[in-house]
């Protein structure tokens, strides 16, 4: 399946990310539904111009401030996240003193262990949520999608949810948790229900998040809290939609 | 991987299509890159409201007229098309007297044979382009993506290309062929380079195309030619972008 990607290909970066994901699929980290979900992301990233737009930068800075004031932050990791940004997850975990928990939409112990291994290879020392360790339940969620680790997401005050589904985001919010989502569709239920939504590709957003955490490290809790209390997620999401609209209009004009 | 889809789920139809595609993947008809491509389509279909928009209906009628005046029409079929709409492909082939040719982005004789089998199961009598039958080359296209059947796409005057890539669409146009694309992204290179672009999901567009062929069957060649000669693909694509823009704006408003 590998093709040589010419360096000057207009969408070379997007193709490289896709290759990484397909590699993750071949290794058993990524589910087939994860490939489809990635495609949806690609379409929205194309609409954003495959760059970090200003409202995303603002959301990333706010997320860094929120993580630094959290008591028990947890980063939720699924197959796509592990395949694309395992190293960055570990870096954020260390700089924000956040736990890492595996959390799959389609649970499979085999895949959970592979994801855990990938994260440990990247330097993670304690990966939660694998198999029976997911011993607690998020209320109102059906079947296996509700299982979380009582030492992790269940007792967390802030949860970072890259590539999460809408039901689970909503359920976490109802439990009173603050949620930081990374989602390329500003209109998805995840985007609308999260406390802070970073409308950006995880491969760009997470390194920037690490930088922002380092940049804000010296600030007082009061200063940090002010940053995220002043943030209006709804307004920020509207700005993202406006940017997509403008770009679509411009692309349609330029098409001739 | 199968989940029960509740009938009242707001995106039940989209989930059912996805299941069909995953089934095709498990059977070896669909490539892993095809799953990602499907995800991109899902995102654009979501932006269209998962319905056939008026400019798509107009493009479908125009395509029907073009097919009925064609001398040697050919329908190009890839893995996703075979998995999702094999029956419809055969129906169109019969009503428009069009040949069917397998044409994959990632060539694999094994997959070509599986796709041929699927089409024959749907009633196709002569499926072209499998393995060494793809004996002719589209000029200017690299590697294996250029191979076509000399009895099919190579000598065709009109080619139906559901889910085609931009390079190949452009190369077919340069060979002087008329192309009818089905593509959910009105700004893709395929959409921009095709003679007629149907911005719609193939599962909705193809049955409507069959209906339109039947409806126009009695008309004279002069009447039919007038229909497609009056059609302006560029204008039609702009209308699609406007519809997406309006919908995005409305969704952003309703999100609160």
């Amino acid at each position: 399946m590998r093709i040589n990607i010419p360096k000057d290909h207009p969408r070379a970066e997007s193709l490289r990310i896709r290759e990484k994901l397909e590699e993750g699929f071949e290794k058993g980290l990524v589910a087939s539904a994860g490939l489809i979900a990635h495609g949806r992301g690609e379409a929205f990233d194309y609409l954003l111009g495959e760059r970090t737009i200003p409202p995303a930068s603002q959301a990333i800075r706010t997320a860094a401030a929120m993580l630094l004031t959290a008591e028990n932050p947890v980063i939720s990791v699924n197959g796509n996240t592990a395949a694309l940004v395992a190293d960055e997850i570990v870096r954020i975990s260390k700089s924000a003193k956040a736990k890492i928990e595996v959390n799959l939409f389609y649970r499979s112990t085999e895949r959970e262990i592979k994801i855990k291994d990938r994260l440990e290879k990247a330097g993670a020392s304690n990966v939660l949520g694998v198999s029976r360790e997911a011993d607690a339940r998020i209320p109102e969620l059906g079947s296996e999608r509700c299982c979380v680790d009582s030492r992790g997401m269940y007792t967390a005050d802030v949860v970072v949810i890259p590539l999460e589904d809408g039901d689970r985001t909503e359920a976490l919010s109802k439990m009173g948790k603050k949620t930081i989502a990374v989602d390329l569709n500003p209109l998805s239920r995840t985007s609308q229900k999260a406390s802070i939504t970073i409308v950006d590709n995880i491969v760009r957003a997470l390194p920037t998040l690490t930088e922002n955490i380092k940049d804000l490290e010296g600030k007082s809790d009061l200063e940090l809290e002010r940053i995220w209390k002043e943030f209006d997620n709804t307004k920020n999401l509207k700005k993202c939609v406006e940017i997509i609209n403008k770009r679509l209009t411009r692309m349609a004009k330029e098409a001739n």
Side-chain angles (χ1 to χ4, degrees), chain A residues 16 20 30 57 59 61 72 74-75 78 82 91-92 95 122 140 150 199 219:
Chain A
R16 264 192 294 271
K20 223 170 163 180
V30 172
S57 302
R61 190 158 187 84
N72 185 17
V74 174
I75 310 170
N78 68 8
R91 242 171 251 140
I92 292 170
S95 58
E140 293 179 52
S150 55
V199 178
K219 307 256 182 212

Side-chain angles (χ1 to χ4, degrees), chain A residues 174-186:
Chain A
K174 277 189 186 166
M175 284 175 83
K177 296 180 194 307
K178 293 188 189 79
T179 48
I180 298 167
V182 189
D183 194 318
L184 281 156
N185 173 5

Side-chain angles (χ1 to χ4, degrees), chain A residues 113-134:
Chain A
I113 290 168
K114 281 184 179 165
I115 291 168
K116 185 184 177 173
D117 287 350
R118 177 68 191 91
L119 290 162
E120 284 175 351
K121 211 180 117 190
S125 52
N126 188 19
V127 178
L128 307 177
V130 174
S131 188
R132 295 194 177 199
E133 291 175 4

Side-chain angles (χ1 to χ4, degrees), chain A residues 9 30 33 61 66 69 83 88 96 104 117 153 161 166 175 188 230 241:
Chain A
H9 189 289
V30 172
R61 190 158 187 84
M66 186 179 268
T69 54
E88 280 308 325
L104 307 185
D117 287 350
M153 276 170 76
I161 41 174
M175 284 175 83
S188 75
E230 278 173 359
V241 176

Side-chain angles (χ1 to χ4, degrees), chain A residues 70-228:
Chain A
E71 299 266 328
N72 185 17
V74 174
I75 310 170
S76 171
V77 176
N78 68 8
N80 288 27
T81 309
L84 295 178
V85 287
D87 296 329
E88 280 308 325
I89 292 290
V90 175
R91 242 171 251 140
I92 292 170
S93 151
K94 285 181 178 165
S95 58
K97 292 170 192 66
K99 292 173 186 165
I100 297 175
E101 178 169 340
V102 179
N103 210 303
L104 307 185
F105 190 88
Y106 299 104
R107 289 190 76 85
S108 129
T109 302
E110 197 192 334
R111 204 149 66 80
E112 282 165 8
I113 290 168
K114 281 184 179 165
I115 291 168
K116 185 184 177 173
D117 287 350
R118 177 68 191 91
L119 290 162
E120 284 175 351
K121 211 180 117 190
S125 52
N126 188 19
V127 178
L128 307 177
V130 174
S131 188
R132 295 194 177 199
E133 291 175 4
D135 55 348
R137 302 174 80 83
I138 305 177
E140 293 179 52
L141 269 188
S143 75
E144 295 185 316
R145 289 167 50 206
C146 63
C147 303
V148 285
D149 198 309
S150 55
R151 300 161 300 168
M153 276 170 76
Y154 194 71
T155 44
D157 57 341
V158 174
V159 190
V160 182
I161 41 174
L163 318 181
E164 187 52 273
D165 85 293
D167 282 345
R168 209 141 61 180
T169 307
E170 194 168 1
L172 288 169
S173 299
K174 277 189 186 166
M175 284 175 83
K177 296 180 194 307
K178 293 188 189 79
T179 48
I180 298 167
V182 189
D183 194 318
L184 281 156
N185 173 5
L187 293 163
S188 75
R189 227 145 43 85
T190 297
S191 289
Q192 299 292 331
K193 296 292 178 188
S195 314
I196 300 171
T197 308
I198 300 167
V199 178
D200 199 10
N201 193 318
I202 50 169
V203 305
R204 295 188 301 267
L206 295 194
T208 316
L209 181 56
T210 308
E211 278 169 30
N212 274 271
I213 290 169
K214 284 188 180 152
D215 190 47
L216 291 175
E217 243 164 14
K219 307 256 182 212
S220 71
D221 275 10
L222 252 173
E223 284 177 285
L224 293 170
E225 270 185 22
R226 214 189 46 214
I227 292 176
W228 61 261

